[in-house]
Amino acid sequence: MGMALKIVKWVGIDFGQCLMSPSSLRNPRMFGDIGKLLGKHEMIPVWIERMRRLKEKYKTYSLVKEKHREEILTFVFDHDREAYELFGQKEPELLSMAPGLREFLIWINAEGIRPSVVSELKKTLGPVGTDMITKFLIAKGIIGSFQYFITPHGKMDLATGEQFENYRGTSKESGTLYDEILKELRTQGIQPQECVMIGDKRITDIIPAKRRGLITIQYTGHIDEGPCDESDYVAESFFKVKEILERL
């Protein structure tokens, strides 16, 4: 174990707009690849235009991805499930990682901490590699740097694939998911003030975590929701996150 960390014993990181950037959803290359694979070259500009219109409707690709994903199937691909499934396969390959993330993960693991991904995943957990988030971690070669994938549908050990049911029915926004995390950590002798939550969304990542005593870092590298009283720190990259943790 390294010697830089004095206080921190647990780190949780949100996925969307934190670990990854959704900006590649507007990448014409993805739709081009799908059209070529399916022999539907004529649909490529149609899909690109529909995705642009969907983004205009909901203002950001982040909202499309997180809250209106079903419209990618129903509107963009007009219920073409084969095209939509290819989209799901291509997406993790094209999504980009947050600046400094790989370097941060190497460092934090050397310090003896494997972070957990803490996400409001909407779908039921399946095996590792069957959901968008673990596909992304695998595609980027960083899944081994994380310990758990924690969601309102359960917790998954990313090394073994074992799943735990005690998180079912919790949520980040209500704070019950953080209550469950802290309940488990206390059995290991870890207190809230020794835990760090990193995320971009005030109502799910920052406010409920801070109210339970966690150290909070508001990540602004992809989306900046503006100042938040419950943010202990603000970071625009994971290079900055590392600097913050080294000072604690």
Side-chain angles (χ1 to χ4, degrees):
M1 181 180 289
M3 299 297 292
L5 291 178
K6 301 177 181 66
I7 295 175
V8 179
K9 294 181 180 177
W10 181 88
V11 174
I13 310 175
D14 180 46
F15 178 68
Q17 293 72 246
C18 194
L19 289 177
M20 71 86 199
S21 168
S23 58
S24 58
L25 283 179
R26 61 176 175 264
N27 192 331
R29 175 185 155 195
M30 177 159 26
F31 296 105
D33 287 349
I34 294 168
K36 290 171 187 173
L37 285 168
L38 296 179
K40 297 180 179 179
H41 297 76
E42 74 285 356
M43 293 304 299
I44 295 170
V46 177
W47 292 333
I48 292 171
E49 172 61 17
R50 287 175 182 168
M51 181 61 92
R52 184 192 66 77
R53 287 164 58 189
L54 201 59
K55 185 261 182 182
E56 284 186 354
K57 179 180 178 181
Y58 295 113
K59 308 304 180 187
T60 69
Y61 287 102
S62 305
L63 282 176
V64 171
K65 177 176 167 45
E66 294 202 344
K67 296 189 176 180
H68 305 283
R69 191 176 182 86
E70 72 284 351
E71 291 186 47
I72 298 176
L73 169 63
T74 59
F75 176 66
V76 176
F77 291 116
D78 193 21
H79 297 276
D80 185 335
R81 187 157 291 278
E82 190 176 19
Y84 180 70
E85 288 176 359
L86 277 175
F87 177 87
Q89 293 172 23
K90 291 287 180 184
E91 191 180 12
E93 300 170 11
L94 294 177
L95 289 171
S96 57
M97 288 195 296
L101 177 61
R102 193 179 299 278
E103 293 85 350
F104 171 79
L105 290 172
I106 292 169
W107 171 76
I108 197 78
N109 274 255
E111 290 294 321
I113 295 176
R114 286 168 65 209
S116 291
V117 179
V118 183
S119 170
E120 282 277 35
L121 184 74
K122 303 300 182 187
K123 59 181 286 188
T124 302
L125 276 177
V128 173
T130 59
D131 61 88
M132 173 65 221
I133 295 174
T134 56
K135 282 181 182 178
F136 174 85
L137 299 179
I138 292 168
K140 302 305 178 188
I142 57 174
I143 194 164
S145 297
F146 291 91
Q147 184 173 19
Y148 294 115
F149 177 26
I150 301 172
T151 84
H153 294 283
K155 181 179 80 169
M156 179 191 295
D157 185 321
L158 290 171
T160 66
E162 184 179 3
Q163 295 188 22
F164 306 87
E165 303 294 318
N166 51 311
Y167 285 83
R168 283 189 177 275
T170 63
S171 78
K172 290 173 74 175
E173 186 171 350
S174 70
T176 51
L177 185 140
Y178 297 106
D179 290 335
E180 193 64 34
I181 288 173
L182 292 173
K183 178 181 174 183
E184 288 190 341
L185 291 175
R186 285 190 179 99
T187 67
Q188 303 167 36
I190 299 174
Q191 301 304 314
Q193 63 271 22
E194 298 172 312
C195 303
V196 176
M197 182 62 200
I198 305 164
D200 64 298
K201 299 175 195 65
R202 290 178 290 187
I203 63 170
T204 56
D205 301 320
I206 304 301
I207 295 172
K210 181 61 181 175
R211 288 178 178 172
R212 284 157 177 80
L214 284 76
I215 299 166
T216 55
I217 301 177
Q218 185 177 356
Y219 185 79
T220 60
H222 303 312
I223 291 179
D224 186 352
E225 293 191 348
C228 176
D229 291 340
E230 283 83 358
S231 301
D232 292 308
Y233 303 94
V234 175
E236 73 288 345
S237 74
F238 276 84
F239 294 116
K240 182 65 175 179
V241 172
K242 177 176 179 288
E243 289 179 16
I244 292 167
L245 296 190
E246 286 177 320
R247 294 200 305 266
L248 293 177

